[in-house]
Amino acid sequence: MRCADITRKTKETDISLKVNLDGGEVKIQTGIGFFDHMLNSFATHGGFGLELTVKGDLEVDEHHTVEDTGIVLGKAFSDALGDKGSIDRFGSFYVPMDEALAFASVDISGRPFLVFDADFPQERCGGYGCAMTVEFMRAFAYNAGITLHIKSLYGDNSHHITEAVYKAVAHALRLAVKQNDLNKPLSTKGVL
């Protein structure tokens, strides 16, 4: 089983997270309703088991909660993947959400990088500032050790754009973490 269990406590957040790349229960509580919705979509569309509890300093704002969740989820993905042997490594996916269309492409390379190109016409979705999407994705990509490209091609509704982004990333990851029969990392170097 490709699983990881991580806890992280700082002066700003207290996070407990379990991830199973091969599926399982999805139970998420961050204190931010829209963020819970996005992480539920991420887990469901990625085919991942995800149990997450976050207590953050929401009296300040949502930034620490969202970014720190990305950090912990990224570390958990890295731990669950181990030496990254026998995975397909690459994944790309388009997701339409009503009038919005988003694209994500991932390389589980050990070389963290993020390219993020998305505009959000409305600043907020409930208690979630849409600008937090790039913060979450950056924290996740850098701590997972993946190269992640995200592009919103178009859209008029920030809820739809954000949800399409999360789902596109989830589907791209689902393809990239898929196991194959190579019994070695998909790399000319022999390691990832």
Side-chain angles (χ1 to χ4, degrees):
M1 294 272 276
R2 300 180 300 162
C3 302
D5 187 342
I6 295 182
T7 57
R8 180 178 190 260
K9 187 170 184 172
T10 70
K11 291 180 180 178
E12 298 166 342
T13 58
D14 185 353
I15 301 174
S16 175
L17 183 146
K18 292 180 184 178
V19 69
N20 183 336
L21 301 183
D22 301 307
E25 188 173 3
V26 176
K27 197 164 127 181
I28 297 164
Q29 186 174 22
T30 68
I32 306 167
F34 185 79
F35 190 41
D36 290 356
H37 178 46
M38 293 302 96
L39 293 172
N40 267 291
S41 292
F42 176 85
T44 300
H45 287 266
F48 310 128
L50 180 59
E51 296 179 51
L52 171 67
T53 303
V54 183
K55 293 177 184 159
D57 57 355
L58 295 178
E59 70 281 0
V60 175
D61 69 9
E62 72 275 20
H63 190 283
H64 300 140
T65 296
V66 174
E67 182 178 43
D68 288 7
T69 299
I71 290 169
V72 174
L73 185 59
K75 287 181 179 180
F77 258 75
S78 180
D79 289 355
L81 284 166
D83 70 357
K84 303 176 194 75
S86 300
I87 61 168
D88 284 345
R89 179 179 168 182
F90 298 98
S92 297
F93 211 86
Y94 284 93
V95 168
M97 182 82 183
D98 297 345
E99 86 298 341
L101 181 65
F103 172 76
S105 188
V106 65
D107 175 10
I108 300 176
S109 61
R111 295 185 312 275
F113 202 84
L114 175 69
V115 175
F116 187 92
D117 183 6
D119 293 318
F120 302 97
Q122 296 82 37
E123 186 177 315
R124 301 194 68 77
C125 291
Y128 177 91
C130 296
M132 292 299 97
T133 306
V134 67
E135 299 300 329
F136 172 80
M137 295 300 175
R138 181 182 299 112
F140 174 74
Y142 276 76
N143 286 276
I146 64 174
T147 297
L148 178 59
H149 289 244
I150 298 168
K151 181 167 182 62
S152 169
L153 284 80
Y154 43 79
D156 299 322
N157 182 298
S158 291
H159 183 132
H160 297 160
I161 294 166
T162 306
E163 190 164 348
V165 163
Y166 274 86
K167 288 178 178 177
V169 171
H171 278 279
L173 282 167
R174 182 182 201 151
L175 295 170
V177 303
K178 186 178 174 197
Q179 293 181 296
N180 59 44
D181 296 328
L182 294 177
N183 295 317
K184 61 181 181 179
L186 186 58
S187 170
T188 55
K189 297 178 183 126
V191 297
L192 288 172

